[in-house]
Amino acid sequence: MHPIIFFSKMDFSQSNLFGYIEDLQELTIIERPVRRSLKTPEEIERLTVDEELSDIERAVYLLSSGQDIQGTSVVANLPVLMRQNPAETLRRVLPKIREVLHVAGVEMQLTAAVSFLTVLQEESVSIHTYSHSFLHIILQHLEHRDAGVSNAWLETLLAVIEALPKETIRHEILNPLVSKAQLSQTLQSRLVSCKIMGKLANKFEAHIIKREILPLVKSLCQDVEYEVRTCMCRQLEHIAQGIGTELTKTVVLPELVELARDEGSSVRLAAFETLVNLLDMFDADDRSQTVLPLVKSFCEKSFKADESILVSLSFHLGKLCNGLYGIFTPEQHLRFLEFYKKLSTLGLQQENGHNDNQLQLQTLEQEKKYISVRKNCAYNFPAMIVFVDPKNFHLELYSIFFCLCHDPEVPVRYTMAISFYEVAKLLNSGVYTIHKELVTLLQDESLEVLDALVGHLPEILELMTNGGENSGSESKLLSIPDLIPALTTAEQRAATSLKWRTHEKLLQKYACLPHIISSDQIYYRFLHRMLTIILTNNVLPVQKAAARTLCVYLRYNRKQEQRHEVIQKLIEQLGQGKSYWNRLRFLDTCEFIMELFSKSFFCKYFFLPVLELTHDPVANVRMKLCYLLPKVKSTLKIPTDKHLLQQLELCIRKLLCQEKDKDVLTIVKRTVLELDRMEISVDAFQKRFYANDLLDQEKERQEHLLLEMEQLEKEKQQNEGRSTNINDKMFEKKRRDSKTSSVLAKSITLSVPGSSSGTSGGKDDKKSKLVRSQSFSTQALHPKYSNIDKCPNKSSATGYTSSVSGMGKSCMLSFSDDSFRTHSTGNSGNAAFPSSSSRNLFNSADQKNNGNKESQSRKMSM
């Protein structure tokens, strides 16, 4: 379309006039279908129904004299009529539907099949009434000339069979089935008979199946049409489950062996899949003497003459290998493993350049088949790890794992991303060997692969950093520098794409990072990025996901200065932002803060900034604030927060007096009533608030512990600096003393031999006492190290001690956030703070004590 041009600047040249004419023609083309779709008065008259008719009368009228579309509407509305008036519907409407269905089109037939099934599921009438009224109509249309209609009625019948009593099934379905399954009947009739027999096998006892159903099964397995043999072969699995192990071995297995050698490829494929699904029902002899030779022949033929079974074989290979594991010889075990490796790279590798011509001649259909085979191999990879034993993964399967993760086709890499978590769980202590492939999939060019991997990303990252007792700490630490850039790259790629759901999912899963990496790494690489997303992204779910993850990062940040900086930015850039959209997101963030932090934290930093938004010029902000006020009030404690309660009441009064927007004023009045009914918790514990108060107290303890740990870390750094300076001075002094002592030793011994021994002995005593005191001070604290390491396993939910200076008491930090998994601590359900941090706490205290003792002993010696 051309831009709008004002009359004062119109250009009436020939080119512009032609452009205007083309625009007018486009408008007329747009309007033409609308004019054609209008109904004439005669058509409107034929489609008009008297409004005074009841629903039943209207349905009968439309089925009798209406058009097809009106009759289809009545059939679709049949479940509603059955709920309202089942007796009249069965007496008047259902006979009309039976008459219409004989000449109805495909659309009405499909609608009727769905409506009949809905009536059965809703149980509008008893099963006896249903079978008497609906079953004959269903059976009449099973052999409809249209395959889609026939399948729709068959699905309805199979669902009905589940609910019908045995006698009804035997007289109405099984007895007619004997004649319908004969060779003289149509192909469609025999196919329907195969599927019905598979359903009936679970409805009767074994002796009835053996006497009445199995003869029909044998005759259909030997039918002249390969479609019938294929269909019956797929139903043998259900029949075997109905007749039991003994009859399966004597009746079903011989039929499967014969069908596995059938001339039709689809029949052989069906026989192979049925054999794999029935492996559990065969004993070791049947597996080794019958099943294994058939499977070996399938594998040999798949690459030579019969490629139709290749895709199915690759899909069932994992189940097949583990099902036959007990009867494999070492040679057969190795052969099937090599076969799997060959399938995993099918269509990719060229053997010494001999396959160049063959690759050029490959058709598109073959390429699709090869991609499906490699995708199935990726699907079966966890099963193959079990087959070779996880201990042999690096030697036997790592190269295949690498190839599948770097496959050129997206479906293969997508399947590997889905199964990555299962692979990581199976590898356990060896999980660190696949961290490079995790980085590769995180940086994959396809967002579908990233979306598949993100589903279990927290669990995968936890296994990568903490997986197994035998994994060395060096290997864990080496994986982190690769993971952090990969995680940031993945988030940026998701942010620049149009798939905002993947971006939202990724941000939600990134809330697990405080359990994976350090607080400083999160602060410098992820925290500010979340704030940027809240400020700049245009998708509301993405902004909310970023806001919640930001609050989680803030919750577990280890430095008070960084926390204050983030809080200040949230208040200034969101709560006081120029855009009302940012101020709305500030309220969302405050809601997350109330969920994750203690009440005192929210009241200290965010209570007053939230109340300031009562004066916001935008009505939507004030409206959202009113919805949030009950939660805001629930954070108060009396009498500590009495002044904040007064501020809240003052803001509500101003809203009631000064609010001009009608919608906001309505919500304010409703909120006032809700606030009046609320009870405010007091500082002391109360029974009705016990659970909430206990949880809030635990959050507050964790926040205080973070502050104390930060203070101890600062003292540790200061002590380390002092100790290094003192050590340097001591070393320099010892070096000087060693030079002078060697020179003075001879003169001292020659001049005053008696006095020299006494003085040197006194100095030696002092030095030995100093060494003993230092060693004692260090040894005295070693038992406490072991207690600190073990204390999280023995601590309870209330076993928290705020005093960290008493070195014998336990210190615990519980992670109560649901967004990521934590280590359990006894029966309390809390997660203990990592033992390394507790060691750092007490190491700092040890160094401080040792430094003090050294200085005291030095003063005494001087």
Side-chain angles (χ1 to χ4, degrees), residues 98 127-140 142 157 160-161 164-180 192 196 200 204 212:
R98 179 184 297 179
I127 191 64
H128 176 74
T129 305
Y130 186 91
S131 62
H132 178 73
S133 304
F134 292 89
L135 184 58
H136 293 287
I137 304 176
I138 296 171
L139 293 172
Q140 286 175 0
L142 280 177
L157 177 63
V160 171
I161 290 174
L164 290 176
K166 292 182 180 180
E167 290 302 320
T168 305
I169 295 174
R170 189 164 189 172
H171 290 95
E172 301 292 340
I173 299 175
L174 183 57
N175 292 337
L177 192 65
V178 177
S179 60
K180 295 290 184 181
V192 169
I196 292 175
L200 294 179
F204 294 101
E212 300 186 14

mmCIF file of all heavy atoms in Angstrom, residues 98 127-140 142 157 160-161 164-180 192 196 200 204 212:
data_model
loop_
_atom_site.group_PDB
_atom_site.id
_atom_site.type_symbol
_atom_site.label_atom_id
_atom_site.label_comp_id
_atom_site.label_asym_id
_atom_site.label_seq_id
_atom_site.Cartn_x
_atom_site.Cartn_y
_atom_site.Cartn_z
ATOM 1 N N ARG A 98 -31.058 -41.953 13.062
ATOM 2 C CA ARG A 98 -30.827 -43.232 12.374
ATOM 3 C C ARG A 98 -31.262 -43.153 10.921
ATOM 4 O O ARG A 98 -30.562 -43.673 10.040
ATOM 5 C CB ARG A 98 -31.575 -44.339 13.107
ATOM 6 C CG ARG A 98 -31.422 -45.709 12.469
ATOM 7 C CD ARG A 98 -32.264 -46.755 13.170
ATOM 8 N NE ARG A 98 -31.835 -46.949 14.558
ATOM 9 C CZ ARG A 98 -32.435 -47.799 15.373
ATOM 10 N NH1 ARG A 98 -33.482 -48.514 14.972
ATOM 11 N NH2 ARG A 98 -31.994 -47.937 16.621
ATOM 12 N N ILE A 127 -25.930 -48.499 30.763
ATOM 13 C CA ILE A 127 -25.260 -49.227 29.691
ATOM 14 C C ILE A 127 -26.222 -50.163 28.974
ATOM 15 O O ILE A 127 -26.084 -50.399 27.765
ATOM 16 C CB ILE A 127 -24.046 -49.989 30.262
ATOM 17 C CG1 ILE A 127 -23.187 -50.528 29.122
ATOM 18 C CG2 ILE A 127 -24.490 -51.099 31.204
ATOM 19 C CD1 ILE A 127 -22.576 -49.470 28.258
ATOM 20 N N HIS A 128 -27.220 -50.667 29.673
ATOM 21 C CA HIS A 128 -28.227 -51.521 29.022
ATOM 22 C C HIS A 128 -29.039 -50.715 28.017
ATOM 23 O O HIS A 128 -29.253 -51.148 26.871
ATOM 24 C CB HIS A 128 -29.149 -52.138 30.080
ATOM 25 C CG HIS A 128 -30.259 -52.955 29.503
ATOM 26 N ND1 HIS A 128 -30.060 -54.216 28.960
ATOM 27 C CD2 HIS A 128 -31.594 -52.675 29.363
ATOM 28 C CE1 HIS A 128 -31.201 -54.681 28.504
ATOM 29 N NE2 HIS A 128 -32.162 -53.778 28.746
ATOM 30 N N THR A 129 -29.467 -49.506 28.413
ATOM 31 C CA THR A 129 -30.219 -48.635 27.491
ATOM 32 C C THR A 129 -29.343 -48.203 26.330
ATOM 33 O O THR A 129 -29.813 -48.133 25.180
ATOM 34 C CB THR A 129 -30.749 -47.411 28.251
ATOM 35 O OG1 THR A 129 -31.517 -47.846 29.375
ATOM 36 C CG2 THR A 129 -31.605 -46.539 27.359
ATOM 37 N N TYR A 130 -28.089 -47.921 26.605
ATOM 38 C CA TYR A 130 -27.186 -47.491 25.537
ATOM 39 C C TYR A 130 -27.009 -48.599 24.503
ATOM 40 O O TYR A 130 -27.070 -48.350 23.287
ATOM 41 C CB TYR A 130 -25.832 -47.097 26.140
ATOM 42 C CG TYR A 130 -24.879 -46.499 25.132
ATOM 43 C CD1 TYR A 130 -24.840 -45.134 24.908
ATOM 44 C CD2 TYR A 130 -24.018 -47.314 24.395
ATOM 45 C CE1 TYR A 130 -23.966 -44.593 23.975
ATOM 46 C CE2 TYR A 130 -23.149 -46.785 23.465
ATOM 47 C CZ TYR A 130 -23.121 -45.422 23.260
ATOM 48 O OH TYR A 130 -22.271 -44.881 22.321
ATOM 49 N N SER A 131 -26.746 -49.826 24.966
ATOM 50 C CA SER A 131 -26.553 -50.925 24.023
ATOM 51 C C SER A 131 -27.821 -51.203 23.218
ATOM 52 O O SER A 131 -27.749 -51.562 22.032
ATOM 53 C CB SER A 131 -26.110 -52.180 24.773
ATOM 54 O OG SER A 131 -27.119 -52.578 25.699
ATOM 55 N N HIS A 132 -28.980 -51.033 23.839
ATOM 56 C CA HIS A 132 -30.243 -51.262 23.140
ATOM 57 C C HIS A 132 -30.515 -50.188 22.096
ATOM 58 O O HIS A 132 -31.068 -50.480 21.013
ATOM 59 C CB HIS A 132 -31.388 -51.319 24.151
ATOM 60 C CG HIS A 132 -32.734 -51.498 23.527
ATOM 61 N ND1 HIS A 132 -33.142 -52.705 22.973
ATOM 62 C CD2 HIS A 132 -33.770 -50.617 23.348
ATOM 63 C CE1 HIS A 132 -34.362 -52.560 22.479
ATOM 64 N NE2 HIS A 132 -34.768 -51.306 22.706
ATOM 65 N N SER A 133 -30.120 -48.925 22.364
ATOM 66 C CA SER A 133 -30.474 -47.809 21.482
ATOM 67 C C SER A 133 -29.374 -47.455 20.491
ATOM 68 O O SER A 133 -29.661 -47.112 19.341
ATOM 69 C CB SER A 133 -30.811 -46.572 22.325
ATOM 70 O OG SER A 133 -31.846 -46.846 23.257
ATOM 71 N N PHE A 134 -28.107 -47.512 20.915
ATOM 72 C CA PHE A 134 -27.016 -46.984 20.087
ATOM 73 C C PHE A 134 -26.176 -48.069 19.420
ATOM 74 O O PHE A 134 -25.586 -47.820 18.363
ATOM 75 C CB PHE A 134 -26.085 -46.108 20.945
ATOM 76 C CG PHE A 134 -26.708 -44.833 21.422
ATOM 77 C CD1 PHE A 134 -27.409 -44.775 22.611
ATOM 78 C CD2 PHE A 134 -26.585 -43.674 20.672
ATOM 79 C CE1 PHE A 134 -27.969 -43.602 23.055
ATOM 80 C CE2 PHE A 134 -27.147 -42.486 21.111
ATOM 81 C CZ PHE A 134 -27.846 -42.447 22.305
ATOM 82 N N LEU A 135 -26.077 -49.263 20.021
ATOM 83 C CA LEU A 135 -25.137 -50.258 19.532
ATOM 84 C C LEU A 135 -25.441 -50.706 18.107
ATOM 85 O O LEU A 135 -24.525 -50.866 17.282
ATOM 86 C CB LEU A 135 -25.124 -51.470 20.476
ATOM 87 C CG LEU A 135 -24.109 -52.575 20.166
ATOM 88 C CD1 LEU A 135 -22.696 -52.010 20.163
ATOM 89 C CD2 LEU A 135 -24.228 -53.713 21.169
ATOM 90 N N HIS A 136 -26.721 -50.888 17.768
ATOM 91 C CA HIS A 136 -27.079 -51.339 16.410
ATOM 92 C C HIS A 136 -26.720 -50.285 15.364
ATOM 93 O O HIS A 136 -26.291 -50.632 14.252
ATOM 94 C CB HIS A 136 -28.570 -51.661 16.355
ATOM 95 C CG HIS A 136 -28.948 -52.858 17.180
ATOM 96 N ND1 HIS A 136 -28.639 -54.152 16.810
ATOM 97 C CD2 HIS A 136 -29.611 -52.954 18.360
ATOM 98 C CE1 HIS A 136 -29.086 -54.998 17.714
ATOM 99 N NE2 HIS A 136 -29.681 -54.297 18.679
ATOM 100 N N ILE A 137 -26.878 -49.026 15.711
ATOM 101 C CA ILE A 137 -26.498 -47.959 14.759
ATOM 102 C C ILE A 137 -24.991 -47.990 14.514
ATOM 103 O O ILE A 137 -24.526 -47.837 13.372
ATOM 104 C CB ILE A 137 -26.934 -46.587 15.302
ATOM 105 C CG1 ILE A 137 -28.439 -46.576 15.587
ATOM 106 C CG2 ILE A 137 -26.570 -45.481 14.330
ATOM 107 C CD1 ILE A 137 -28.945 -45.289 16.219
ATOM 108 N N ILE A 138 -24.222 -48.220 15.560
ATOM 109 C CA ILE A 138 -22.765 -48.269 15.412
ATOM 110 C C ILE A 138 -22.360 -49.446 14.532
ATOM 111 O O ILE A 138 -21.530 -49.311 13.617
ATOM 112 C CB ILE A 138 -22.100 -48.359 16.805
ATOM 113 C CG1 ILE A 138 -22.395 -47.099 17.625
ATOM 114 C CG2 ILE A 138 -20.600 -48.569 16.678
ATOM 115 C CD1 ILE A 138 -21.958 -47.189 19.077
ATOM 116 N N LEU A 139 -22.949 -50.631 14.781
ATOM 117 C CA LEU A 139 -22.579 -51.815 14.015
ATOM 118 C C LEU A 139 -22.969 -51.702 12.543
ATOM 119 O O LEU A 139 -22.301 -52.267 11.668
ATOM 120 C CB LEU A 139 -23.238 -53.052 14.629
ATOM 121 C CG LEU A 139 -22.741 -53.450 16.026
ATOM 122 C CD1 LEU A 139 -23.601 -54.566 16.604
ATOM 123 C CD2 LEU A 139 -21.278 -53.878 15.961
ATOM 124 N N GLN A 140 -24.042 -50.958 12.242
ATOM 125 C CA GLN A 140 -24.487 -50.817 10.857
ATOM 126 C C GLN A 140 -23.502 -50.038 10.005
ATOM 127 O O GLN A 140 -23.425 -50.253 8.788
ATOM 128 C CB GLN A 140 -25.856 -50.121 10.825
ATOM 129 C CG GLN A 140 -27.011 -51.007 11.268
ATOM 130 C CD GLN A 140 -28.311 -50.240 11.324
ATOM 131 O OE1 GLN A 140 -28.365 -49.043 11.031
ATOM 132 N NE2 GLN A 140 -29.391 -50.927 11.718
ATOM 133 N N LEU A 142 -20.095 -49.786 10.479
ATOM 134 C CA LEU A 142 -18.691 -50.181 10.593
ATOM 135 C C LEU A 142 -18.036 -50.385 9.234
ATOM 136 O O LEU A 142 -16.831 -50.184 9.083
ATOM 137 C CB LEU A 142 -18.577 -51.479 11.408
ATOM 138 C CG LEU A 142 -18.658 -51.336 12.936
ATOM 139 C CD1 LEU A 142 -18.613 -52.700 13.582
ATOM 140 C CD2 LEU A 142 -17.531 -50.467 13.460
ATOM 141 N N LEU A 157 -16.913 -48.216 18.677
ATOM 142 C CA LEU A 157 -17.291 -49.565 19.080
ATOM 143 C C LEU A 157 -16.297 -50.158 20.077
ATOM 144 O O LEU A 157 -16.700 -50.791 21.065
ATOM 145 C CB LEU A 157 -17.400 -50.464 17.850
ATOM 146 C CG LEU A 157 -17.716 -51.936 18.132
ATOM 147 C CD1 LEU A 157 -19.076 -52.084 18.795
ATOM 148 C CD2 LEU A 157 -17.646 -52.770 16.857
ATOM 149 N N VAL A 160 -16.971 -48.833 23.365
ATOM 150 C CA VAL A 160 -18.215 -49.389 23.903
ATOM 151 C C VAL A 160 -17.984 -50.789 24.450
ATOM 152 O O VAL A 160 -18.557 -51.173 25.485
ATOM 153 C CB VAL A 160 -19.315 -49.383 22.819
ATOM 154 C CG1 VAL A 160 -20.552 -50.147 23.286
ATOM 155 C CG2 VAL A 160 -19.697 -47.957 22.466
ATOM 156 N N ILE A 161 -17.122 -51.575 23.782
ATOM 157 C CA ILE A 161 -16.850 -52.943 24.226
ATOM 158 C C ILE A 161 -16.304 -52.961 25.651
ATOM 159 O O ILE A 161 -16.594 -53.867 26.437
ATOM 160 C CB ILE A 161 -15.889 -53.644 23.250
ATOM 161 C CG1 ILE A 161 -16.614 -53.917 21.920
ATOM 162 C CG2 ILE A 161 -15.334 -54.936 23.823
ATOM 163 C CD1 ILE A 161 -15.717 -54.478 20.835
ATOM 164 N N LEU A 164 -19.444 -52.726 27.926
ATOM 165 C CA LEU A 164 -20.556 -53.666 27.777
ATOM 166 C C LEU A 164 -20.355 -54.912 28.632
ATOM 167 O O LEU A 164 -19.225 -55.363 28.838
ATOM 168 C CB LEU A 164 -20.706 -54.072 26.312
ATOM 169 C CG LEU A 164 -21.210 -53.001 25.346
ATOM 170 C CD1 LEU A 164 -21.195 -53.538 23.923
ATOM 171 C CD2 LEU A 164 -22.591 -52.522 25.732
ATOM 172 N N PRO A 165 -21.434 -55.522 29.114
ATOM 173 C CA PRO A 165 -21.314 -56.807 29.824
ATOM 174 C C PRO A 165 -20.970 -57.933 28.852
ATOM 175 O O PRO A 165 -21.178 -57.835 27.639
ATOM 176 C CB PRO A 165 -22.704 -57.002 30.438
ATOM 177 C CG PRO A 165 -23.622 -56.167 29.624
ATOM 178 C CD PRO A 165 -22.824 -55.002 29.142
ATOM 179 N N LYS A 166 -20.468 -59.054 29.394
ATOM 180 C CA LYS A 166 -19.988 -60.146 28.553
ATOM 181 C C LYS A 166 -21.090 -60.761 27.698
ATOM 182 O O LYS A 166 -20.865 -61.084 26.524
ATOM 183 C CB LYS A 166 -19.355 -61.235 29.430
ATOM 184 C CG LYS A 166 -18.062 -60.816 30.095
ATOM 185 C CD LYS A 166 -17.478 -61.970 30.893
ATOM 186 C CE LYS A 166 -16.172 -61.549 31.566
ATOM 187 N NZ LYS A 166 -15.586 -62.655 32.357
ATOM 188 N N GLU A 167 -22.268 -60.932 28.256
ATOM 189 C CA GLU A 167 -23.350 -61.562 27.496
ATOM 190 C C GLU A 167 -23.734 -60.727 26.290
ATOM 191 O O GLU A 167 -23.972 -61.247 25.194
ATOM 192 C CB GLU A 167 -24.555 -61.793 28.413
ATOM 193 C CG GLU A 167 -24.350 -62.877 29.461
ATOM 194 C CD GLU A 167 -24.015 -64.208 28.822
ATOM 195 O OE1 GLU A 167 -24.628 -64.532 27.783
ATOM 196 O OE2 GLU A 167 -23.149 -64.932 29.349
ATOM 197 N N THR A 168 -23.803 -59.414 26.491
ATOM 198 C CA THR A 168 -24.134 -58.540 25.365
ATOM 199 C C THR A 168 -23.060 -58.610 24.298
ATOM 200 O O THR A 168 -23.359 -58.657 23.090
ATOM 201 C CB THR A 168 -24.309 -57.091 25.857
ATOM 202 O OG1 THR A 168 -25.282 -57.059 26.901
ATOM 203 C CG2 THR A 168 -24.746 -56.192 24.730
ATOM 204 N N ILE A 169 -21.797 -58.616 24.710
ATOM 205 C CA ILE A 169 -20.702 -58.712 23.737
ATOM 206 C C ILE A 169 -20.782 -60.031 22.970
ATOM 207 O O ILE A 169 -20.593 -60.063 21.744
ATOM 208 C CB ILE A 169 -19.346 -58.586 24.468
ATOM 209 C CG1 ILE A 169 -19.202 -57.197 25.089
ATOM 210 C CG2 ILE A 169 -18.195 -58.856 23.516
ATOM 211 C CD1 ILE A 169 -17.954 -57.047 25.934
ATOM 212 N N ARG A 170 -21.087 -61.099 23.677
ATOM 213 C CA ARG A 170 -21.105 -62.415 23.029
ATOM 214 C C ARG A 170 -22.221 -62.512 22.001
ATOM 215 O O ARG A 170 -21.999 -63.041 20.893
ATOM 216 C CB ARG A 170 -21.266 -63.489 24.101
ATOM 217 C CG ARG A 170 -21.072 -64.893 23.586
ATOM 218 C CD ARG A 170 -20.865 -65.855 24.736
ATOM 219 N NE ARG A 170 -20.481 -67.166 24.268
ATOM 220 C CZ ARG A 170 -20.098 -68.151 25.058
ATOM 221 N NH1 ARG A 170 -20.046 -67.946 26.374
ATOM 222 N NH2 ARG A 170 -19.765 -69.331 24.579
ATOM 223 N N HIS A 171 -23.416 -62.019 22.322
ATOM 224 C CA HIS A 171 -24.544 -62.165 21.408
ATOM 225 C C HIS A 171 -24.534 -61.111 20.301
ATOM 226 O O HIS A 171 -24.866 -61.421 19.147
ATOM 227 C CB HIS A 171 -25.867 -62.077 22.178
ATOM 228 C CG HIS A 171 -26.114 -63.267 23.060
ATOM 229 N ND1 HIS A 171 -25.777 -63.292 24.397
ATOM 230 C CD2 HIS A 171 -26.659 -64.498 22.795
ATOM 231 C CE1 HIS A 171 -26.101 -64.464 24.925
ATOM 232 N NE2 HIS A 171 -26.636 -65.218 23.969
ATOM 233 N N GLU A 172 -24.157 -59.879 20.646
ATOM 234 C CA GLU A 172 -24.265 -58.787 19.674
ATOM 235 C C GLU A 172 -23.011 -58.610 18.821
ATOM 236 O O GLU A 172 -23.095 -58.085 17.706
ATOM 237 C CB GLU A 172 -24.572 -57.472 20.409
ATOM 238 C CG GLU A 172 -25.853 -57.483 21.215
ATOM 239 C CD GLU A 172 -27.090 -57.568 20.319
ATOM 240 O OE1 GLU A 172 -26.984 -57.238 19.115
ATOM 241 O OE2 GLU A 172 -28.150 -57.973 20.816
ATOM 242 N N ILE A 173 -21.843 -59.037 19.326
ATOM 243 C CA ILE A 173 -20.594 -58.752 18.610
ATOM 244 C C ILE A 173 -19.862 -60.035 18.219
ATOM 245 O O ILE A 173 -19.492 -60.220 17.054
ATOM 246 C CB ILE A 173 -19.680 -57.858 19.478
ATOM 247 C CG1 ILE A 173 -20.384 -56.521 19.771
ATOM 248 C CG2 ILE A 173 -18.351 -57.611 18.796
ATOM 249 C CD1 ILE A 173 -19.632 -55.617 20.712
ATOM 250 N N LEU A 174 -19.629 -60.956 19.179
ATOM 251 C CA LEU A 174 -18.813 -62.130 18.892
ATOM 252 C C LEU A 174 -19.489 -63.084 17.912
ATOM 253 O O LEU A 174 -18.839 -63.565 16.967
ATOM 254 C CB LEU A 174 -18.490 -62.857 20.208
ATOM 255 C CG LEU A 174 -17.569 -64.080 20.092
ATOM 256 C CD1 LEU A 174 -16.248 -63.699 19.436
ATOM 257 C CD2 LEU A 174 -17.340 -64.706 21.449
ATOM 258 N N ASN A 175 -20.770 -63.358 18.077
ATOM 259 C CA ASN A 175 -21.452 -64.290 17.172
ATOM 260 C C ASN A 175 -21.502 -63.779 15.734
ATOM 261 O O ASN A 175 -21.197 -64.530 14.794
ATOM 262 C CB ASN A 175 -22.863 -64.586 17.692
ATOM 263 C CG ASN A 175 -22.825 -65.388 18.986
ATOM 264 O OD1 ASN A 175 -21.843 -66.059 19.273
ATOM 265 N ND2 ASN A 175 -23.906 -65.333 19.769
ATOM 266 N N PRO A 176 -21.866 -62.506 15.501
ATOM 267 C CA PRO A 176 -21.796 -62.015 14.108
ATOM 268 C C PRO A 176 -20.375 -61.954 13.568
ATOM 269 O O PRO A 176 -20.165 -61.983 12.349
ATOM 270 C CB PRO A 176 -22.410 -60.613 14.193
ATOM 271 C CG PRO A 176 -23.220 -60.608 15.441
ATOM 272 C CD PRO A 176 -22.502 -61.511 16.389
ATOM 273 N N LEU A 177 -19.384 -61.868 14.479
ATOM 274 C CA LEU A 177 -17.999 -61.741 14.031
ATOM 275 C C LEU A 177 -17.518 -62.995 13.299
ATOM 276 O O LEU A 177 -16.650 -62.905 12.416
ATOM 277 C CB LEU A 177 -17.102 -61.474 15.253
ATOM 278 C CG LEU A 177 -15.669 -61.039 14.984
ATOM 279 C CD1 LEU A 177 -15.641 -59.686 14.296
ATOM 280 C CD2 LEU A 177 -14.885 -60.973 16.288
ATOM 281 N N VAL A 178 -18.077 -64.155 13.613
ATOM 282 C CA VAL A 178 -17.661 -65.399 12.963
ATOM 283 C C VAL A 178 -17.925 -65.339 11.463
ATOM 284 O O VAL A 178 -17.095 -65.740 10.641
ATOM 285 C CB VAL A 178 -18.387 -66.595 13.603
ATOM 286 C CG1 VAL A 178 -18.026 -67.885 12.885
ATOM 287 C CG2 VAL A 178 -18.051 -66.690 15.085
ATOM 288 N N SER A 179 -19.081 -64.809 11.117
ATOM 289 C CA SER A 179 -19.411 -64.706 9.687
ATOM 290 C C SER A 179 -18.678 -63.550 9.016
ATOM 291 O O SER A 179 -18.306 -63.630 7.836
ATOM 292 C CB SER A 179 -20.920 -64.535 9.518
ATOM 293 O OG SER A 179 -21.366 -63.362 10.171
ATOM 294 N N LYS A 180 -18.449 -62.452 9.764
ATOM 295 C CA LYS A 180 -17.762 -61.289 9.184
ATOM 296 C C LYS A 180 -16.293 -61.561 8.891
ATOM 297 O O LYS A 180 -15.690 -60.890 8.066
ATOM 298 C CB LYS A 180 -17.862 -60.086 10.141
ATOM 299 C CG LYS A 180 -19.278 -59.569 10.358
ATOM 300 C CD LYS A 180 -19.807 -58.892 9.111
ATOM 301 C CE LYS A 180 -21.187 -58.291 9.358
ATOM 302 N NZ LYS A 180 -21.737 -57.642 8.152
ATOM 303 N N VAL A 192 -11.828 -55.042 10.000
ATOM 304 C CA VAL A 192 -12.573 -54.668 11.202
ATOM 305 C C VAL A 192 -12.634 -55.849 12.165
ATOM 306 O O VAL A 192 -12.494 -55.686 13.386
ATOM 307 C CB VAL A 192 -13.984 -54.185 10.816
ATOM 308 C CG1 VAL A 192 -14.863 -54.054 12.048
ATOM 309 C CG2 VAL A 192 -13.896 -52.849 10.083
ATOM 310 N N ILE A 196 -11.415 -56.033 16.169
ATOM 311 C CA ILE A 196 -12.388 -56.370 17.218
ATOM 312 C C ILE A 196 -11.909 -57.575 18.022
ATOM 313 O O ILE A 196 -12.057 -57.621 19.255
ATOM 314 C CB ILE A 196 -13.770 -56.631 16.589
ATOM 315 C CG1 ILE A 196 -14.331 -55.328 16.012
ATOM 316 C CG2 ILE A 196 -14.728 -57.203 17.608
ATOM 317 C CD1 ILE A 196 -15.636 -55.500 15.276
ATOM 318 N N LEU A 200 -11.484 -58.142 22.042
ATOM 319 C CA LEU A 200 -12.260 -59.140 22.780
ATOM 320 C C LEU A 200 -11.387 -60.099 23.584
ATOM 321 O O LEU A 200 -11.891 -60.768 24.496
ATOM 322 C CB LEU A 200 -13.121 -59.959 21.805
ATOM 323 C CG LEU A 200 -14.235 -59.205 21.069
ATOM 324 C CD1 LEU A 200 -14.977 -60.154 20.143
ATOM 325 C CD2 LEU A 200 -15.190 -58.566 22.054
ATOM 326 N N PHE A 204 -12.811 -62.077 27.758
ATOM 327 C CA PHE A 204 -13.293 -63.434 28.024
ATOM 328 C C PHE A 204 -12.197 -64.275 28.673
ATOM 329 O O PHE A 204 -11.014 -63.928 28.637
ATOM 330 C CB PHE A 204 -13.769 -64.103 26.726
ATOM 331 C CG PHE A 204 -14.978 -63.451 26.119
ATOM 332 C CD1 PHE A 204 -14.850 -62.590 25.034
ATOM 333 C CD2 PHE A 204 -16.244 -63.700 26.626
ATOM 334 C CE1 PHE A 204 -15.957 -61.990 24.478
ATOM 335 C CE2 PHE A 204 -17.351 -63.100 26.069
ATOM 336 C CZ PHE A 204 -17.226 -62.243 25.000
ATOM 337 N N GLU A 212 -13.369 -70.201 20.669
ATOM 338 C CA GLU A 212 -14.159 -69.402 19.739
ATOM 339 C C GLU A 212 -13.355 -68.348 18.980
ATOM 340 O O GLU A 212 -13.754 -67.971 17.869
ATOM 341 C CB GLU A 212 -15.310 -68.724 20.491
ATOM 342 C CG GLU A 212 -16.254 -69.712 21.157
ATOM 343 C CD GLU A 212 -17.461 -69.017 21.781
ATOM 344 O OE1 GLU A 212 -17.673 -67.828 21.458
ATOM 345 O OE2 GLU A 212 -18.173 -69.646 22.576
#
